[in-house]
């Protein structure tokens, strides 16, 4: 019996061992023409290319820069194929596991507590929301808008009333409410901390497939079925079995619809590429207030660049990055929220999805300047 217990513990530990990325590389390939684009597409059929930018094979095209992660096992084969086709590439990350570990490069003053300078796990974020409500009961309230597929709560913080310390924020909060959803994909976020740092989808089970999860930003009821290669549950951009099939999507949908009369802007935050995006993603057509959106985006990105000279590009999703379908941005705009924006935050690919903690504070500082400008613009120009 003494032998069985440790063996059982070892088996359990092996079953839940987190995914490692030792020796995995992230390559950047600058495609010169359609022939080179087809080389990447062909490689994706025989090798496991994890596309970071763009986020799917069908979006790869001539005159595009493509970033993807490749396993240590397949990296030599892929690099040889690129060399044979005389394709220019660089290795952005030589060992993904090293970058995963180096991501946490800010020393913790109080381990176990939420920090504005560090990446925080879900438990710390929940504790922080409770603390904000407790410390500022007249300014902050917490609203549970629903639950996830794994029954975790979805919390929205409502900020309102007088702030009192910062003149601009006091002016804004005295005249408008801010609703903040700290984490949309809670289940996927938890999984990224415990099992797979590179996990992106939620954790819903898919019928007749061993592959887990839906891309929540492909699940909204707007051109849901308009683009190819989003119907495979094993793809990172799987749209789900039906529009708004996911509990998370339904919760956000219902919350926004219930507050629609008072909502003047919708802003969402993603990574990476340093872009400020607005509709549309599902078509090359321009929205009716395109010129206004361009004006706001231009000034917002100019303001954002002032502290650290961080350069952002801006424009419609489809032409600025790549076409998308089922996105919350297009959905919110179509619902009537005519100032809808998405920030794709730092950086441009050196770290990609593994931005070090030491860049959190400067990223927040510059982004907040842009958000304040958008809020002030809306106060001035909308009724």
């Amino acid at each position: 019996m003494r032998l069985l217990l440790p063996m059982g513990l070892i088996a359990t530990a092996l079953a839940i061992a987190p995914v490692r990325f030792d020796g995995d590389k992230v390559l950047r390939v600058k495609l010169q023409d359609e022939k080179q684009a087809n080389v990447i597409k062909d490689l994706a059929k025989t090798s496991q290319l994890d596309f970071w930018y763009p986020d799917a094979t069908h979006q790869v095209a001539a005159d595009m820069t493509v970033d993807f992660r490749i396993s240590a096992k397949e990296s030599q084969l892929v690099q040889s194929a690129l060399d044979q086709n005389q394709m220019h590439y660089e290795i952005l990350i030589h060992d993904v596991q090293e970058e995963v570990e180096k991501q946490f490069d800010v020393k913790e003053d109080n381990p176990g507590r939420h920090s504005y300078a560090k990446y925080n796990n879900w438990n710390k974020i929940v504790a922080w929301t409770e603390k904000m409500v407790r410390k500022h009961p007249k300014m902050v309230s917490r609203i549970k808008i629903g639950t996830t597929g794994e029954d975790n709560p979805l919390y929205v913080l409502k900020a309102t009333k007088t702030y009192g310390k910062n003149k601009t924020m006091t002016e804004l909060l005295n005249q408008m409410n801010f609703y903040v959803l700290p984490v949309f994909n809670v289940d996927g976020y938890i999984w990224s901390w415990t099992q797979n740092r590179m996990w992106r989808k939620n954790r819903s089970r898919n019928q007749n497939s061993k592959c887990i999860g839906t891309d929540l930003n492909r699940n909204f009821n707007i051109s849901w079925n308009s683009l190819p290669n989003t119907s495979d549950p094993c793809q990172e951009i799987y749209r789900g079995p039906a529009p708004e099939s996911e509990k998370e999507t339904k919760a956000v949908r219902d919350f926004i619809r219930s507050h629609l009369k008072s909502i003047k802007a919708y802003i969402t935050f993603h990574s990476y590429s340093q872009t400020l995006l607005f509709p549309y993603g599902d078509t090359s057509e321009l929205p009716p207030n395109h010129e206004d959106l361009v004006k706001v985006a231009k000034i917002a990105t100019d303001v954002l660049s002032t502290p650290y000279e961080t350069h952002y590009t801006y424009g419609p999703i489809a032409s600025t990055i790549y076409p998308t379908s089922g996105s919350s941005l297009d959905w919110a705009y179509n619902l009537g929220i005519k100032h809808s924006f998405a920030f794709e935050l730092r950086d441009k690919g050196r770290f990609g999805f593994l931005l070090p903690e030491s860049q959190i504070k400067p990223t927040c500082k510059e982004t907040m300047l842009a958000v304040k400008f958008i809020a002030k613009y809306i106060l001035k120009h909308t009724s």
Side-chain angles (χ1 to χ4, degrees), residues 134-204:
R134 188 171 61 250
K135 285 185 68 175
H136 309 285
K138 293 183 178 179
M139 190 183 82
V140 180
S141 58
R142 190 175 74 172
I143 307 164
K144 182 179 177 181
I145 67 169
T147 57
T148 68
E150 296 186 339
D151 208 31
N152 288 301
L154 284 167
Y155 290 129
V156 163
L157 292 182
K158 178 184 179 182
T160 186
K161 304 288 185 183
T162 303
Y163 180 61
K165 292 183 179 180
N166 179 284
K167 183 180 178 182
T168 301
M169 287 308 302
T170 300
E171 176 188 349
L172 292 174
L173 285 168
N174 280 342
Q175 298 180 72
M176 59 170 48
N177 297 327
F178 284 78
Y179 294 99
V180 180
L181 176 66
V183 181
F184 180 19
N185 181 14
V186 175
D187 297 345
Y189 187 73
I190 293 171
W191 195 255
S192 76
W193 275 85
T194 59
Q195 293 297 312
N196 184 340
R197 192 61 181 154
M198 304 313 304
W199 191 264
R200 284 180 257 177
K201 298 188 286 185
N202 75 351
R203 293 293 301 165
S204 62

Side-chain angles (χ1 to χ4, degrees), residues 71-97:
S71 70
K73 183 180 178 181
E74 295 186 298
S75 63
Q76 192 58 53
L77 178 68
V78 170
Q79 288 177 250
S80 295
L82 297 176
D83 289 334
Q84 288 171 11
N85 286 278
Q86 298 181 319
M87 295 168 65
H88 174 74
Y89 70 93
E90 61 180 310
I91 302 174
L92 295 177
I93 298 177
H94 287 266
D95 190 311
V96 170
Q97 186 61 36

Side-chain angles (χ1 to χ4, degrees), residues 324-370:
T324 63
S325 60
S327 76
S328 67
L329 195 65
D330 280 358
W331 174 83
Y333 184 89
N334 191 56
L335 205 60
I337 306 173
K338 298 308 179 186
H339 288 92
S340 292
F341 296 96
F343 284 87
E344 295 282 350
L345 300 173
R346 293 189 186 188
D347 59 4
K348 285 183 171 291
R350 164 59 186 90
F351 297 104
F353 295 130
L354 297 171
L355 194 73
E357 288 177 327
S358 52
Q359 293 197 36
I360 291 176
K361 281 195 170 181
T363 301
C364 290
K365 182 178 179 180
E366 65 193 10
T367 308
M368 194 61 187
L369 291 175

Side-chain angles (χ1 to χ4, degrees), residues 244 252-261 263 331 335:
E244 296 168 358
V252 170
R253 174 201 67 189
D254 293 345
F255 178 79
I256 290 179
R257 283 188 178 277
S258 67
H259 293 78
L260 188 57
K261 289 184 179 179
I263 295 178
W331 174 83
L335 205 60

Side-chain angles (χ1 to χ4, degrees), residues 92-106:
L92 295 177
I93 298 177
H94 287 266
D95 190 311
V96 170
Q97 186 61 36
E98 283 187 12
E99 293 300 332
V100 167
E101 293 163 7
K102 285 161 60 178
Q103 203 181 12
F104 304 96
D105 64 345
V106 171

Side-chain angles (χ1 to χ4, degrees), residues 30 32 68 128 158 219 243 272 281 302 363:
K30 295 182 179 179
Q32 303 298 320
F68 58 85
W128 171 79
K158 178 184 179 182
N219 191 237
Y272 63 96
D302 286 346
T363 301

